[in-house]
Amino acid sequence: LARVASAMRGPDRGEAVAVGPSLVAGGGDGVFAQRAFLPGEQILQDPYLASVLRIWPDRLNGPLTLDDIYGAASGKGPELLENGPSLYRGAPDKRLVGYYTEWGETAVEEPDERASVVEAMLVLAYNAYNSQPDNRYQLVYPLISKVNHSCTPNACVIAPENGPGEVICIKPIGAGDEVFVSYLCDSQLTHPLEDRATQFARNWEFVCSCPRCKALGDDTRRFSCPDDGCAGHCKGMTAESSDLEVLPCDECGRMPEEDVVRGWADLEDEIAELLKGLPENLYCAWCPCEEFAAKHPEHCLAGRWKYQLAEHTDCEA
């Protein structure tokens, strides 16, 4: 913390936050609270640098000019580049950097503009938030876009189509703590570690090192303890093996028998396949999914089933 404090730059928005080296491995800079915050409080407010209509990339078949980029970014394209040193653009070995560099060779006719166009596209690709509530725009902010991700966030982002974005505290934050938001939506945060890791790799090209992702047990795969009368759970382990391995019960400490774990694994695979076929096979999935949810209510698949059931009920109503 002393290293972070000595390297911090002055607060970017009033005295509430400051930018400094993140405590997250590979996180670059992060945003740190300069005072304590309680849930519900606004941590910062940030006018957007650029707002791009999400259907605009349909035009990427080119050819494009730098003026096209600036126009699409609500006339604020220059700000994307002027704030360049503070916003992530990807490392040379990243997939998106290679993709946009190759794209620029054919889509941008003016060689003198090519590097700037590619740079602006990378700023959007790595730093934009989808606008709320309808995801119509991609919004880039000078400060909000520097807040790092965690699967256990202490804040959330509000990104309206018009007006400044906000970061709101959702867990108590102490002075000097790093502010974290989730790049995933609430439902995606309930997905198993492997699914979340795939999202991070595909969309932002990073490996999450938050406490949930580094933990030995996957908190989305909670199997009810087989001991009668025990209310504890056995978490599936975040192991490389494709075979299910679990931790001892978090309440009684018992390790379930191997045949029980194999049964859980088979049941988990069955329910996952049934959920993939929803809503078309809703009535075929109803009985086994209800039984699974009753036996293992803390498992993420139980939550996904209940969500699908609620969606169906809402549509029927």
Side-chain angles (χ1 to χ4, degrees), residues 250-263:
D250 54 17
E251 185 161 315
C252 70
R254 177 193 170 191
M255 177 65 78
E257 301 292 335
E258 290 185 5
D259 61 330
V260 172
V261 176
R262 283 196 297 270

Side-chain angles (χ1 to χ4, degrees), residues 20-178:
S22 175
L23 300 177
V24 175
D29 281 340
V31 174
F32 292 79
Q34 295 291 88
R35 64 171 180 84
F37 290 93
L38 293 175
E41 285 191 88
Q42 182 191 84
I43 299 173
L44 66 95
Q45 189 177 77
D46 205 19
Y48 63 76
L49 281 175
S51 173
V52 178
L53 194 63
R54 290 191 71 205
I55 64 170
W56 178 79
D58 292 342
R59 299 184 54 214
L60 292 188
N61 293 328
L64 293 175
T65 67
L66 195 55
D67 286 340
D68 291 327
I69 299 289
Y70 289 170
S74 61
K76 294 188 175 184
E79 284 88 338
L80 285 176
L81 303 183
E82 290 169 7
N83 285 269
S86 66
L87 292 177
Y88 184 65
R89 282 154 165 67
D93 61 339
K94 295 297 185 181
R95 173 181 53 83
L96 285 176
V97 174
Y99 169 79
Y100 279 112
T101 300
E102 183 178 344
W103 163 83
E105 294 292 329
T106 56
V108 185
E109 294 181 335
E110 294 295 329
D112 294 342
E113 294 185 348
R114 191 168 295 146
S116 295
V117 170
V118 170
E119 185 180 3
M121 294 302 295
L122 288 171
V123 171
L124 288 168
Y126 283 112
N127 300 280
Y129 283 87
N130 291 335
S131 66
Q132 300 157 355
D134 299 320
N135 298 327
R136 291 203 307 155
Y137 293 88
Q138 289 184 299
L139 304 167
V140 177
Y141 301 94
L143 189 55
I144 290 177
S145 292
K146 294 187 68 59
V147 180
N148 283 312
H149 166 86
S150 173
C151 296
T152 55
N154 54 21
C156 67
V157 172
I158 298 175
E161 290 188 2
N162 300 298
E166 296 178 276
V167 175
I168 305 297
C169 176
I170 60 173
K171 293 179 182 177
I173 297 174
D177 289 350
E178 184 167 359

Side-chain angles (χ1 to χ4, degrees), residues 206-261:
F206 74 90
V207 176
C208 183
S209 58
C210 77
R212 283 185 68 197
C213 292
K214 298 294 285 185
L216 185 59
D218 187 341
D219 62 7
T220 70
R221 302 173 71 192
R222 296 173 185 257
F223 297 92
S224 297
C225 180
D227 271 9
D228 293 337
C230 180
H233 299 89
C234 303
K235 293 180 184 177
M237 293 179 64
T238 55
E240 297 293 332
S241 172
S242 58
D243 295 331
L244 175 64
E245 299 179 49
V246 300
L247 295 172
C249 174
D250 54 17
E251 185 161 315
C252 70
R254 177 193 170 191
M255 177 65 78
E257 301 292 335
E258 290 185 5
D259 61 330
V260 172
V261 176

